[in-house]
Each structure stands twice: as structure tokens, then as C-alpha cells.
Amino acid sequence: EYMFVLSKGRPNSWNPIRIPCLTAGTKRNRGGSKSSEDSYSERKRVERTVVNSEKQATNIFYFDVGKNDKTIHNAPFPDQLAHDHIISWSNEGDTVFDPFLGSGTTGVAATELGRNFIGIEKVEKYFQLASDRIHSHND
């Protein structure tokens, strides 16, 4: 699925998700790898770097689908997907807008994370489902 992040002007927030680096602590030599002394492309410096313990996650998310609470909605997207986007693109107190409310996954995540939330849904039974889900998480 594609998720769009829209803002008026430049986004006010960017909180990249950090994940553990599998090669944390690895030491690597950089430079001086050419065998010929007179090679044009030889690097004259030798550096030693250490891989950090965390790195920034990519902008492609992989999630198992169908793991949400069972709802009458036929296609709820993963809770963690909404959670990750909300923490990446907003801060506490900001307003999150979902123009396709569906089962209310974005609304639940927004309220759990201390964001204000506005959602729109044209199908009455889905709107009621989302409203009930969001309000039950606030209690």
C-alpha cells in the first residue's frame, strides 16, 4: 500500500525510526585498498570506522497482514504501520488526518500516541466501527 504524508509547506516533524544494526561494533578499514603504489585512484588515507548499534529504517515497511483485532471491515491495515507513520511524521499534540477512516486503525494509533485525530468515512457501518474502536481505546 502507498501512504501519503501531506503537509502545508515543509513537514514540521521528522522522527526517523531507528532499528538495531546487525553488524554493530564491526570495525572496517577504509581506503588504501589499491595494490599499485602509483595508481591514479589510490586513496592516500587509511580510516578505521566502527558500525553504529542502530541505523535508520528504510522507507519501505514490511508487515504481516491480518494480525489486527477482528473487525467487520474487510481490509484493515496493520496497526504497526499506522503507529510507525504517526511517530515518524508528527509529535505529541499534533493533528493526524485520515480521509479514509475504514476500521479506525489510524485513529486508535493516533490517540494512543497522544495526537489529535480527525477521520472521515462515507460508509456508515465502518464509521460506527471506527468510532467505537477509537473510543474504546481512549477509555
Side-chain angles (χ1 to χ4, degrees):
E1 293 189 38
Y2 290 97
M3 294 189 75
F4 297 97
V5 177
L6 306 172
S7 70
K8 184 177 181 181
R10 187 178 197 155
N12 293 330
S13 304
W14 169 237
N15 309 307
I17 296 171
R18 308 293 296 177
I19 58 173
C21 188
L22 297 177
T23 58
T26 303
K27 295 177 182 174
R28 296 186 175 153
N29 291 324
R30 298 182 61 172
S33 62
K34 302 292 181 189
S35 59
S36 172
E37 288 288 329
D38 57 348
S39 172
Y40 172 75
S41 61
E42 181 181 7
R43 299 173 89 173
K44 299 296 182 188
R45 68 178 199 266
V46 176
E47 294 178 7
R48 191 158 182 92
T49 59
V50 178
V51 178
N52 293 331
S53 61
E54 289 185 327
K55 64 182 179 180
Q56 183 176 318
T58 67
N59 64 351
I60 299 173
F61 297 86
Y62 296 95
F63 297 104
D64 291 336
V65 294
K67 304 279 182 169
N68 287 14
D69 297 332
K70 297 298 180 197
T71 68
I72 60 170
H73 194 278
N74 61 347
F77 59 83
D79 294 333
Q80 193 65 43
L81 180 61
H83 179 274
D84 288 354
H85 272 275
I86 290 168
I87 63 171
S88 292
W89 294 102
S90 68
N91 294 317
E92 285 191 37
D94 287 351
T95 300
V96 174
F97 173 63
D98 185 353
F100 306 103
L101 187 57
S103 64
T105 303
T106 303
V108 169
T111 56
E112 286 177 350
L113 294 168
R115 274 61 168 181
N116 299 310
F117 177 74
I118 299 170
I120 298 173
E121 178 56 56
K122 78 177 197 173
V123 178
E124 180 64 34
K125 70 178 183 179
Y126 293 155
F127 177 80
Q128 194 57 53
L129 165 69
S131 180
D132 292 345
R133 256 184 97 199
I134 293 165
H135 290 3
S136 71
H137 276 78
N138 285 340
D139 297 337

